[in-house]
Amino acid sequence: VSSLARGGRIDIVHVAFDYPTFFVRLDKRVPCVATVHHLHKVEALSMLPFQRNALQKGALLLKGSILTSLEGRLVRQCAGVIAVSRFTAESVRKHLSVQPGRISVVQNGIEAAEFEDGDPERFRSEFPRLSEKLALCVGRLERSKGLDYLIPAFASVASRVEGATMAIVGGGSESYVDDLKARARMAGVGDG
């Protein structure tokens, strides 16, 4: 980066958080912004209740704290921070002591046109057991996504809303998917 900056070939540097970028020293002559999807310490704190013992909890929190310290080192070199949600912006403010004026929220986007011509009849024919009262969750199937909370929350809704159904769509480790299916069956909302 420094050699490109000296040659006047860089106007701005944009860093998306990932492990290798934590160790980059940015050239102060070139403005930098960072996009933050989440902080590792916040993710670790959200996963603590799912850890089986104190050693696992301690290791998770230590790893999250170390990575967030490195995240802070990178953010302090940047002129601005782009957070993908208000929650992430608040996490950056709270855990990295970044002034709110340096943080902008820009939510992740999708190409909406790809979904505008969807065929609801095809969806219904492929998934006939799903009702009109549908809760749909689409994403990576991993503990940090909070699916352990979603299943009992949906079970509570289903007990009060006649005909409510839920579909969870995504990929994840086979053992975690099996665990989610078992949780859904135990909550009375599994499909078999």
Side-chain angles (χ1 to χ4, degrees), residues 95-138:
H95 293 280
L96 301 181
S97 301
V98 175
Q99 297 300 315
R102 288 184 53 216
I103 306 170
S104 298
V105 175
V106 179
Q107 296 175 339
N108 290 330
I110 60 167
E111 185 57 55
E114 292 182 27
F115 302 97
E116 289 174 355
D117 294 327
D119 183 355
E121 295 308 316
R122 178 178 168 209
F123 178 82
R124 292 288 173 207
S125 68
E126 289 187 29
F127 303 99
R129 293 177 54 196
L130 298 175
S131 74
E132 292 295 319
K133 299 172 185 173
L134 172 65
L136 177 63
C137 173
V138 179

Side-chain angles (χ1 to χ4, degrees), residues 5-6 10 44 49 74 76 85-86 96 99 101 109 120 124 126 132-133 143 148 150 159-160 165 172 174 186:
R6 281 193 296 275
I10 296 179
L74 179 61
R76 282 187 286 283
S85 68
R86 288 189 300 275
L96 301 181
Q99 297 300 315
R124 292 288 173 207
E126 289 187 29
E132 292 295 319
K133 299 172 185 173
R143 293 196 190 281
D148 302 87
L150 176 62
S159 71
R160 292 176 288 165
T165 57
E174 192 173 320
M186 286 188 295

Side-chain angles (χ1 to χ4, degrees), residues 37-120:
H37 292 264
H38 73 284
L39 295 179
H40 286 84
K41 182 176 181 179
V42 174
E43 181 180 29
L45 289 169
S46 73
M47 292 176 62
L48 283 180
F50 306 110
Q51 303 308 305
R52 292 182 178 26
N53 61 51
L55 185 59
Q56 288 175 327
K57 289 180 181 192
L60 182 66
L61 194 53
L62 178 62
K63 178 184 175 186
S65 296
I66 290 169
L67 291 174
T68 294
S69 174
L70 294 170
E71 290 164 342
R73 179 187 177 278
L74 179 61
V75 163
R76 282 187 286 283
Q77 297 180 70
C78 294
V81 177
I82 299 168
V84 299
S85 68
R86 288 189 300 275
F87 177 83
T88 299
E90 180 58 23
S91 298
V92 168
R93 187 199 63 73
K94 178 180 176 184
H95 293 280
L96 301 181
S97 301
V98 175
Q99 297 300 315
R102 288 184 53 216
I103 306 170
S104 298
V105 175
V106 179
Q107 296 175 339
N108 290 330
I110 60 167
E111 185 57 55
E114 292 182 27
F115 302 97
E116 289 174 355
D117 294 327
D119 183 355

Side-chain angles (χ1 to χ4, degrees), residues 25-41:
R25 181 166 301 284
L26 300 171
D27 190 306
K28 294 188 184 327
R29 295 171 291 181
V30 179
C32 174
V33 295
T35 295
V36 182
H37 292 264
H38 73 284
L39 295 179
H40 286 84
K41 182 176 181 179

Side-chain angles (χ1 to χ4, degrees), residues 132-158:
E132 292 295 319
K133 299 172 185 173
L134 172 65
L136 177 63
C137 173
V138 179
R140 287 191 325 265
L141 305 182
E142 60 183 55
R143 293 196 190 281
S144 66
K145 298 297 183 181
L147 297 169
D148 302 87
Y149 296 111
L150 176 62
I151 290 171
F154 176 73
S156 175
V157 168

